[in-house]
C-alpha cells in the first residue's frame, strides 16, 4: 500500500480507505480514481489472509468431500461453487479421500477440516457421494456447518438430502400412466436410505392406484450391473412376469437390459424400464436411452451454500433436514 500511495501521490491512509471501501470519508472522486489507477498499474493485491485475520472473517467457505473426481462429487461442488460465486464467496475444497465399507478415512477427514479452519473459513459444507448417516468430526462445530447428501446421525447439524421417497413415487407413477400394473423392483441393499425411501415411494404410487407391490417381484441387485442382471433374470423367469421394471439405480438398469434382451424381449415394447440417479454415461447411451430419475446434486450443492449463508448471517433456516426433489428425465425406455 505504501507503493500505491507513492505512485498516486496520496497518503497510505487514503489508500487504505479506498481499498476497504470506507464510507463517510472526504476523499474526492479524482483521488479515488488515481488510487485505483495506481492499483492497476502496480498489480496490487490485498493480502486476504491478513484481512481475514484482522476482521475475524473471510469470504471463504470450505467444502469437505470424498473423491473429488467422482461424477456426483463434481456435480455437488459445481452447484456449490456457482452459488458461492453469485454471493461473492469462494470455495476452498478439501478431499477426505475415498470412503470404504467402514466409512471415510477419519484421519484425513479430520486433517482436511483442520486445514480449512486454519484458513478462517466462515462455514463448512460436508458432502457425501451417497446418501447416508455420518458422524462429523467435532472440529466442524467451530463454524456453521451444513451437510450435503448425508445427515448427522447425532441430529445436531442441518442437512440437504434428496427426496428419495418422492423420486420412487414419480418413477412408478410414470409406469402406471403407461398402463403397467405388474411392476418389478430391482432394489439396492435394503438398509440404506436410498433403498428405503425409493421403495416406499414405489409402494405409495401403487397404493394410490389401488395396487400392492408383489414381494416376489422385489429383488436386490446390490447396486451393480451384474447384480441388476441377476435380479432381472430372477424376476423375468417367474411364471407371471412383470411388464415393467423399476431399477433403483442406473447401473442395475444396465444389467437388466442384458437380461431382457437375452430373453428375446424388447424395451419398451415387452418390458418398460426406469432407472434412478441419471448417470449420464449409462442413461444417455443405453439403447433405447434410459428414462430415469435424476439425483439433484447441483441443486443440493447450491442449496447447501444458501443455507450456510443464512446460518453465518444468523438467519433462521427452514428445517434441520431439507429435501430436494428428484426430477424424472424422459428418454425412450417407457
Amino acid at each position: 500500500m505504501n507503493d500505491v500511495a507513492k505512485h498516486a501521490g496520496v497518503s497510505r491512509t487514503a489508500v487504505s480507505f479506498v481499498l476497504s471501501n470506507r464510507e463517510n470519508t472526504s476523499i474526492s472522486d479524482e483521488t479515488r480514481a488515481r488510487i485505483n489507477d495506481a492499483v492497476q498499474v502496480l498489480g496490487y493485491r490485498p493480502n486476504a489472509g491478513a484481512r481475514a485475520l484482522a476482521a475475524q472473517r473471510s469470504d471463504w467457505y470450505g467444502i469437505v468431500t470424498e473423491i473429488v473426481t467422482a461424477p456426483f462429487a463434481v456435480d455437488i461442488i459445481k452447484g456449490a461453487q456457482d452459488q458461492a460465486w453469485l454471493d461473492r464467496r469462494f470455495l476452498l475444497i478439501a478431499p477426505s479421500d475415498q470412503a470404504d465399507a467402514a466409512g471415510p478415512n477419519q484421519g484425513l477427514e479430520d486433517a482436511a477440516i483442520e486445514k480449512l479452519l486454519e484458513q478462517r473459513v466462515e462455514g463448512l459444507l460436508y458432502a457425501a457421494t451417497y446418501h447416508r448417516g455420518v458422524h462429523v468430526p467435532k472440529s466442524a462445530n467451530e463454524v456453521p456447518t451444513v451437510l450435503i447428501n448425508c445427515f448427522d446421525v447425532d441430529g445436531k447439524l442441518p442437512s440437504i438430502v434428496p427426496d428419495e421417497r418422492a423420486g420412487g413415487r414419480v418413477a412408478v407413477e410414470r409406469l402406471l400412466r403407461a398402463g403397467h400394473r405388474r411392476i418389478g423392483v430391482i432394489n439396492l441393499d435394503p438398509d440404506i436410505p436410498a433403498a428405503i425411501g425409493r421403495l416406499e415411494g414405489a409402494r405409495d404410487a401403487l397404493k394410490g392406484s389401488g395396487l400392492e407391490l408383489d414381494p416376489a417381484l422385489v429383488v436386490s441387485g446390490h447396486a451393480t450391473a451384474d447384480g441388476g442382471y441377476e435380479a432381472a433374470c430372477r424376476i423375468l423367469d417367474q411364471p407371471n412376469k412383470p411388464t415393467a421394471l423399476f431399477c433403483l439405480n442406473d447401473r442395475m438398469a444396465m444389467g437388466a437390459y442384458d437380461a431382457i434382451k437375452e430373453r428375446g424381449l424388447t424395451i419398451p415394447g415387452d418390458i418398460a424400464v426406469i432407472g434412478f440417479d441419471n448417470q449420464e454415461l449409462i442413461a444417455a447411451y443405453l439403447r433405447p436411452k434410459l428414462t430415469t430419475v435424476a439425483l439433484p446434486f447441483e441443486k443440493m450443492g447450491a442449496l447447501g451454500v444458501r443455507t450456510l449463508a443464512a446460518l453465518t448471517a444468523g438467519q433462521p433456516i427452514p428445517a434441520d433436514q431439507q429435501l430436494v426433489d428428484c426430477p424424472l428425465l424422459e428418454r425412450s425406455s417407457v
Side-chain angles (χ1 to χ4, degrees), residues 32-168:
R32 288 180 183 274
R34 289 210 318 273
I35 292 171
N36 287 325
D37 287 344
V39 165
Q40 294 298 319
V41 169
L42 298 176
Y44 169 81
R45 293 187 184 91
N47 186 319
R51 279 186 170 183
L53 185 63
Q56 293 297 300
R57 63 183 298 274
S58 67
D59 294 325
W60 302 328
Y61 293 147
I63 181 167
V64 179
T65 186
E66 316 134 356
I67 333 174
V68 295
T69 56
F72 294 164
V74 169
D75 290 341
I76 289 173
I77 290 169
K78 182 180 186 306
Q81 195 163 354
D82 289 349
Q83 182 63 47
W85 181 254
L86 290 175
D87 297 341
R88 309 307 296 170
R89 302 280 179 172
F90 303 92
L91 284 187
L92 293 177
I93 302 167
S96 60
D97 203 12
Q98 183 168 354
D100 55 26
N105 185 318
Q106 193 65 53
L108 281 178
E109 190 174 73
D110 290 339
I113 291 175
E114 195 62 38
K115 279 295 182 184
L116 291 173
L117 293 175
E118 287 176 6
Q119 302 304 313
R120 298 186 178 272
V121 294
E122 292 187 42
L124 286 172
L125 300 169
Y126 182 102
T129 52
Y130 69 94
H131 185 182
R132 67 180 189 274
V134 296
H135 292 279
V136 181
K138 290 182 180 179
S139 56
N141 294 315
E142 295 182 24
V143 293
T145 298
V146 176
L147 310 187
I148 301 175
N149 203 35
C150 55
F151 57 91
D152 180 12
V153 295
D154 297 321
K156 296 178 180 179
L157 297 173
S159 62
I160 314 294
V161 295
D163 193 339
E164 309 278 13
R165 186 168 185 166

